[in-house]
Amino acid sequence: MARFTVLIAAVILAFVVAAPVPEVTAKKYTVGDNKFWNPNINYTIWAQGKHFYLGDWLYFVFDRNQHNILEVNKTDYESCISDHPIRNWTRGAGRDVVTLNVTKHYYLLDGKGGCYGGMKLAVKVEKLPPPPKSAPVKNVGSVSMVTGLAQFMIPAALFSVSTMWDAFLMMW
Ligand SMILES: *[C@@H]1O[C@H](CO)[C@@H](O)[C@H](O)[C@H]1NC(C)=O
Ligand SMILES: *[C@@H]1O[C@H](CO)[C@@H](O)[C@H](O)[C@H]1NC(C)=O
Ligand SMILES: *[C@@H]1O[C@H](CO)[C@@H](O)[C@H](O)[C@H]1NC(C)=O
Ligand SMILES: *[C@@H]1O[C@H](CO)[C@@H](O)[C@H](O)[C@H]1NC(C)=O
């Protein structure tokens, strides 16, 4: 019986060790894909069906003499006002990254042309969905179960050894 329990514990332990750790990777989106940050692209349509999660980033490629990237609030976004940006994401090279590290709506627009040609993009950043398996909880459960079995089995094994020893002595 004890041996069987050890076997079960070993199987559980092997399962726990072999369980794949769900991979969480941040995604990089090139805004506008191969058309980049340019006029006459509907970025609302570009963003449709995409899910932006905490840690993802937006990569903007554009002509630095013509455009920039400013983050504004919702009202300013709707009216394309760039006079009081929340943040200037432009660094000067025409290659800029917006790190989506806050769960909120990001309202971005081209401040140089005042949304010229519809150059504005709003994205909603969400928390990462929970991994498909509740792996950490399961692992903790199995490990403590193994530990529990060991705690139970070691005294039991010692007890049976001493019982056998007593029996052996009685035979003398
Ligand atoms: C956005 O900023 C403008 C100018 O600072 C302000 O008048 C407006 O109330 C703000 N809107 C929101 C939703 O915060
Ligand atoms: C944004 O920052 C860049 C780089 O520092 C600067 O050249 C540019 O003038 C700034 N634009 C605005 C609107 O603040
Ligand atoms: C998010 O990223 C920006 C730019 O890298 C940084 O300035 C800001 O402090 C970050 N915010 C948080 C909450 O990590
Ligand atoms: C972009 O497409 C959306 C959804 O079809 C539409 O509501 C919006 O008016 C378009 N924007 C421009 C600037 O054409």
Side-chain angles (χ1 to χ4, degrees):
M1 181 56 195
R3 227 179 251 178
F4 186 58
T5 322
V6 170
L7 186 68
I8 288 176
V11 167
I12 291 169
L13 189 64
F15 210 82
V16 167
V17 171
V21 176
E23 217 173 293
V24 178
T25 48
K27 220 167 168 178
K28 172 188 137 181
Y29 293 92
T30 301
V31 174
D33 297 317
N34 60 0
K35 290 179 178 154
F36 307 115
W37 187 230
N38 279 304
N40 306 318
I41 296 160
N42 189 323
Y43 290 98
T44 306
I45 290 176
W46 175 82
Q48 254 166 28
K50 291 182 175 69
H51 281 275
F52 300 94
Y53 294 112
L54 208 57
D56 288 350
W57 30 302
L58 302 174
Y59 182 52
F60 289 83
V61 178
F62 56 96
D63 178 348
R64 62 188 174 143
N65 297 314
Q66 307 267 355
H67 310 297
N68 65 10
I69 303 140
L70 301 180
E71 185 179 346
V72 297
N73 70 16
K74 191 170 191 276
T75 30
D76 284 356
Y77 176 83
E78 280 160 1
S79 356
C80 283
I81 295 167
S82 54
D83 297 344
H84 19 71
I86 298 169
R87 192 180 174 116
N88 174 11
W89 288 95
T90 329
R91 285 166 312 166
R95 303 279 183 278
D96 287 301
V97 163
V98 174
T99 49
L100 305 175
N101 58 358
V102 180
T103 48
K104 63 165 186 179
H105 283 90
Y106 284 74
Y107 298 101
L108 303 157
L109 49 77
D110 169 34
K112 281 198 180 173
C115 305
Y116 175 71
M119 290 176 70
K120 57 187 210 168
L121 168 67
V123 301
K124 182 188 171 201
V125 177
E126 301 165 78
K127 252 190 218 162
L128 266 178
K133 280 187 199 173
S134 56
V137 174
K138 217 189 225 168
N139 285 0
V140 167
S142 304
V143 167
S144 64
M145 188 179 160
V146 170
T147 317
L149 282 174
Q151 277 168 355
F152 166 75
M153 272 153 30
I154 290 166
L158 288 177
F159 176 75
S160 57
V161 166
S162 67
T163 312
M164 271 156 65
W165 182 245
D166 287 347
F168 175 71
L169 287 180
M170 273 163 64
M171 277 165 65
W172 275 72

